Amino acid sequence: MGLQNIVRFLLPGEEHFYDYLEHQAGFARKGAAAMVSFFDNGTAAAEAVAAVQDCEHAGDEVVHAMEEALAKTFVTPIDREDLQKLSSELDTILDLANDAIRACVMLGVDRPTEPMSKLIHILVRCTEKLDDAMPKLRKHQYGDLVEVARELRKIEREADVVYRDAVSKLFKDPSIDAKVIIREKTVLEDLENAIDQCDSIADILAHLAIKNG
């Protein structure tokens, strides 16, 4: 047992770090759900932007609270570097989701295409799994975290297929205007990046499970 683990064993850990991560996962889930209102229900993209940004700002506040707590705390429930990295990666999901919905407004995507809709629903599935999984870290349910990581990787592969197929069709159709190609590819890429970010968090969760299990 390493020195830091011995110290953790002798002194109580700071449980509120788990609270921060769980809040962040919850905001990522809400941010993705807010995008569905535009992609499925005909809500104006500008309204969806405001809803996603509200989640992003709330998430930023949690990140700042996490950073301040890490700076003041000697004993953390898991390595402080892991806490900071996981917090940062969760925050990036909302940043990328915000990029996607802002691109819709900036580039004039009034009605999402079918591939866009498929990707946002995949992002929702990913964020739901992350939100459901994060309390398992507090409970040391590391076997469950490994399984969640596997499921997220599988979902991310689904997104890859949707993205590649959609982009391929854009460039192979000679009747599509170049502006449309740029517009749709930009939004698709932002959505794909947000889903890839969930896959990156899957790697972190698997790493933490192996490291701490």
Coordinates of all heavy atoms in Angstrom, one line a residue, residues 22 26 33 146 170 190 198:
E22 N -20.8 14.1 -9.6 CA -22.1 13.7 -9.9 C -22.9 14.9 -10.4 O -23.8 14.7 -11.3 CB -22.8 13.1 -8.6 CG -22.2 11.7 -8.3 CD -22.5 11.3 -6.9 OE1 -23.5 11.8 -6.3 OE2 -21.8 10.4 -6.4
G26 N -24.7 15.2 -14.1 CA -26.1 15.6 -14.3 C -26.3 16.8 -15.2 O -27.2 16.8 -16.0
A33 N -30.0 16.8 -23.2 CA -31.5 16.7 -23.3 C -32.1 18.0 -23.8 O -33.1 18.0 -24.6 CB -32.1 16.4 -21.9
V146 N -16.4 -0.6 -15.0 CA -15.8 -1.2 -16.2 C -16.8 -1.6 -17.2 O -16.6 -1.4 -18.4 CB -15.0 -2.5 -15.7 CG1 -14.5 -3.2 -17.0 CG2 -13.8 -2.0 -14.9
L170 N -22.6 13.3 -48.1 CA -22.5 14.7 -48.4 C -21.5 14.9 -49.5 O -21.8 15.7 -50.4 CB -22.0 15.5 -47.1 CG -23.1 15.8 -46.1 CD1 -22.4 16.4 -44.9 CD2 -24.2 16.7 -46.6
D190 N -19.1 18.5 -34.6 CA -19.3 18.9 -33.2 C -20.0 17.9 -32.4 O -19.6 17.6 -31.3 CB -20.0 20.2 -33.2 CG -19.2 21.4 -33.6 OD1 -17.9 21.3 -33.6 OD2 -19.8 22.5 -34.0
C198 N -17.3 11.5 -24.4 CA -17.9 10.5 -23.5 C -17.1 9.2 -23.5 O -16.9 8.6 -22.5 CB -19.3 10.2 -23.9 SG -20.4 11.7 -23.7

